[in-house]
Amino acid sequence: MEINQLIKTAMEALPLSYAPYSKFHVAAALLGRDGKVYTGVNVENASYPAGMCAERTAFFKAVSEGCREFQAIVICGGKNGKVEDFCPPCGICRQVMREFCKPEEFQVILAVSQTEYKIYTLEELLPVSFGPDQLKNENTGIFCT
């Protein structure tokens, strides 16, 4: 899938965001290795910890539908749903990405428009990360619990 189409998909999802408290709307379009695109938006709640970021919404939707391998994610957002600057993922979202993606390969695309965007690898945004590899027992190949 072309980057421009992935950006367009994220931008089209932005009005679906539910952000009545912060007024900061975010949308994401996640590209699975299977070629399918999973969208997500942020959903706020009066009890702030109960809300969910757009990026995690997209990942959890994809995982719940059986997708476990990903190529890229586009993230866009802004105050009152107006995209005027780049919107990087929060730390929790970066950690969720790390669970399912190869940091050196997975692309995080921050978009202001279809022509103005920046591409990072997850490794650039989350260096020296902790992930599934740290929990794998080298002798048995079994993950520790």
Side-chain angles (χ1 to χ4, degrees):
M1 171 169 280
E2 231 180 72
I3 288 176
N4 287 339
Q5 183 59 44
L6 202 56
I7 292 170
K8 182 176 186 263
T9 301
M11 294 286 185
E12 288 173 348
L14 193 57
L16 301 175
S17 166
Y18 179 74
Y21 307 106
S22 72
K23 307 283 191 252
F24 197 89
H25 299 260
V26 182
L30 175 63
L31 178 60
R33 286 239 182 255
D34 60 3
K36 188 172 177 184
V37 176
Y38 303 87
T39 58
V41 297
N42 61 321
V43 179
E44 293 181 349
N45 188 285
S47 173
Y48 276 104
M52 182 62 63
C53 297
E55 301 91 316
R56 285 184 284 153
T57 299
F59 267 93
F60 296 163
K61 183 189 296 185
V63 169
S64 72
E65 293 181 21
C67 188
R68 299 286 193 283
E69 295 181 359
F70 305 96
Q71 296 180 49
I73 190 169
V74 168
I75 306 163
C76 62
K79 197 73 167 170
N80 297 313
K82 188 172 182 184
V83 180
E84 297 178 320
D85 201 358
F86 298 103
C87 182
C90 74
I92 296 171
C93 288
R94 293 174 198 210
Q95 188 62 47
V96 168
M97 291 175 198
R98 175 64 176 91
E99 183 71 20
F100 296 100
C101 305
K102 294 179 182 173
E104 66 280 1
E105 295 177 12
F106 185 70
Q107 293 185 327
V108 180
I109 303 161
L110 309 180
V112 173
S113 70
Q114 286 184 277
T115 57
E116 186 180 0
Y117 57 87
K118 294 181 181 181
I119 302 174
Y120 299 93
T121 63
L122 179 58
E123 187 171 56
E124 290 174 307
L125 296 179
L126 190 65
V128 194
S129 65
F130 181 84
D133 295 346
Q134 280 74 30
L135 299 177
K136 190 173 183 181
N137 182 313
E138 295 300 322
N139 297 325
T140 65
I142 297 172
F143 287 90
C144 301
T145 55

